Amino acid sequence: MEATVVRTGTEGKTWGGGNDPLKASYGKMMMWFFIVSDALTFSGFLAAYGFSRFKFIESWPIADEVFNHFPFLHGVDAPMYYVALMTFILIFSSVTMVLAVDAGHQLKKGKVVFYMFLTIIGGVIFLGSQAWEWKNFIQGTYGAVKTEGGNILQFVDAEGHRVALADVAEVMSTERVENTRASGVWFQQGEALPNYTIEEIKAGFANREDVVIRTQKLTEEGEKTVLSREESLAKLDAEAVSVVEGANLTENEYGVPLFADFFFFITGFHGFHVLSGVLINIIIFFNVVIGTYERRGSYEMVEKVGLYWHFVDLVWVFVFTFFYLV
Amino acid sequence: MAHDTTHQHESNTKRIWSVFVILSILTIVEVVLGILKPGFLVHTDFLSMSILNWIFIILTIFKAYYIAWAFMHLEGETKGLRRAIVWTAVFLIAYLIFILLTEGDYIFEVYRTNHVAWDF
């Protein structure tokens, strides 16, 4: 192959590419370029979230009331704990990753294998946690009623505690059946039936003297406005058109539809990054195990995937702040 | 900022663990403040945002700084590379946020003061 190789005699010199002013290898620099562009993508999403939130600043859902589940603690109001745990898992997997990189600098293969393994486990646990979080979010807890204008009305008792639809509704026999593909003459499908009809809610609400309605609107104290019993009855009667349980891309029981849209989109996009990070980590892990980098005499590949993994952690720090704290 | 990865190979484990401790403390402070939501921090505004939110954002930037500098090892890179990464990102993101939040606030005002009802 000698014939195809052009030698200029400048190899290693400035004109031959021998000068690297930033003292970083090509691969590492490209990983940084990728990270910067990816960071701009994420900040585009988060800034769009901020835009929508400022647009609906008076009626945005309160994160503490939405994300208040913890495994094995049913019905206990546990705001923030679960997502704090997830944050710790991700930060810790970042620590094990940087320890693996550090061990790689000292060419200690065994230690690199061990720390990379821990990193992968941490990533997998994080992904599982996120799936559980999504499940709770999609399923919803209490359910709500939607008005003609697209607003969400929730039920609370005298102490301000949320009341589930199941406790309000008065179950009536109904003629309505869900239209499925199989039952139609034409190939079509109807909307899924909610557990309760709006008539059942209205009938049940009239009998529950202790329950009132909470609107999306935030008060000066940053809490949701609670209507009086008379106002509640009037509002439910005049405006409520449908029942909402859980969350999807068009409506959700927590409030503004965009809230769920951004939740799905941003945490989903981040989760996809974690997933690809785990997969890349697994590939590099096996490369370390079979000794590829030991023979090469450099563990720089571990360093490069490490950069990506830390970036995923970095993004989560911001998602955590803007979705759950602020 | 003395370590250069390409030349020195001494262990940094002490630094790594101390950064982990710092990140943990920052996270715990955030979570505790997020759960307690002290009234005086929530109701005091600074530049039309509550002090509590400012605290959250500043602590987050601190966390980002430690992750980028210690874990991603920006502190060991050359000045040129570090600035190319950090200044570019910080400038563009700050600009984007400024533009979008201003616009969002404007639309909120339009909705609120408009003569056409949007909640029908």
Side-chain angles (χ1 to χ4, degrees), chain B residues 3-119:
Chain B
H3 306 294
D4 192 334
T5 37
T6 47
H7 302 299
Q8 289 176 343
H9 292 315
E10 88 264 22
S11 182
N12 286 322
T13 39
K14 222 179 129 184
R15 165 97 173 130
I16 293 168
W17 286 112
S18 66
V19 170
F20 173 61
V21 170
I22 293 169
L23 289 177
S24 303
I25 291 171
L26 290 178
T27 307
I28 290 168
V29 169
E30 281 185 343
V31 171
V32 169
L33 283 177
I35 291 170
L36 292 182
K37 291 202 170 158
F40 68 98
L41 290 179
V42 177
H43 301 305
T44 321
D45 277 11
F46 177 70
L47 293 179
S48 66
M49 192 163 68
S50 75
I51 299 265
L52 187 66
N53 285 356
W54 279 111
I55 293 176
F56 285 147
I57 289 168
I58 289 164
L59 289 182
T60 303
I61 290 169
F62 257 107
K63 270 159 75 173
Y65 162 80
Y66 276 110
I67 290 172
W69 254 249
F71 288 177
M72 299 172 99
H73 213 269
L74 270 185
E75 60 193 1
E77 305 294 350
T78 52
K79 249 189 203 143
L81 182 59
R82 197 166 58 226
R83 287 177 180 174
I85 293 162
V86 178
W87 289 8
T88 311
V90 167
F91 168 70
L92 289 175
I93 292 169
Y95 177 61
L96 186 71
I97 289 174
F98 166 71
I99 289 279
L100 281 185
L101 294 193
T102 310
E103 186 68 13
D105 190 49
Y106 170 72
I107 294 177
F108 165 72
E109 289 297 333
V110 169
Y111 272 175
R112 200 175 55 157
T113 54
N114 207 350
H115 296 296
V116 181
W118 58 281
D119 177 17

Side-chain angles (χ1 to χ4, degrees), chain A residues 15-37:
Chain A
W15 283 111
N19 188 8
D20 45 343
L22 297 178
K23 294 193 178 58
S25 73
Y26 176 79
K28 207 160 129 183
M29 198 141 90
M30 290 306 122
M31 179 53 92
W32 267 113
F33 283 7
F34 165 71
I35 286 174
V36 169
S37 66

Side-chain angles (χ1 to χ4, degrees), chain A residues 68-144:
Chain A
N68 56 359
H69 303 272
F70 200 86
F72 310 114
L73 292 178
H74 283 291
V76 179
D77 181 45
M80 305 273 306
Y81 295 114
Y82 189 64
V83 71
L85 179 71
M86 279 166 72
T87 307
F88 268 111
I89 291 166
L90 207 56
I91 288 181
F92 194 72
S93 84
S94 225
V95 171
T96 53
M97 186 77 233
V98 75
L99 287 171
V101 173
D102 194 62
H105 285 152
Q106 301 158 47
L107 303 176
K108 289 179 183 159
K109 182 182 155 188
K111 268 185 151 180
V112 179
V113 168
F114 174 66
Y115 285 129
M116 281 210 73
F117 180 71
L118 286 184
T119 308
I120 292 166
I121 297 296
V124 170
I125 295 175
F126 181 85
L127 279 174
S129 314
Q130 212 166 38
W132 194 77
E133 180 102 334
W134 270 48
K135 185 217 94 189
N136 287 326
F137 188 78
I138 292 170
Q139 237 171 25
T141 317
Y142 300 104

Side-chain angles (χ1 to χ4, degrees), chain A residues 266-301:
Chain A
I266 294 179
T267 63
F269 198 67
H270 176 262
F272 188 67
H273 273 75
V274 179
L275 177 70
S276 37
V278 168
L279 293 179
I280 298 166
N281 268 342
I282 288 173
I283 294 169
I284 302 299
F285 172 76
F286 281 114
N287 271 341
V288 175
V289 171
I290 61 176
T292 306
Y293 307 125
E294 195 162 40
R295 281 194 296 280
R296 198 179 283 177
S298 155
Y299 280 85
E300 206 191 63
M301 279 308 279

Side-chain angles (χ1 to χ4, degrees), chain A residues 150-167:
Chain A
N151 288 320
I152 290 294
L153 305 176
Q154 298 162 333
F155 297 108
V156 289
D157 63 16
E159 283 91 54
H161 296 300
R162 295 285 300 277
V163 178
L165 286 184
D167 299 328

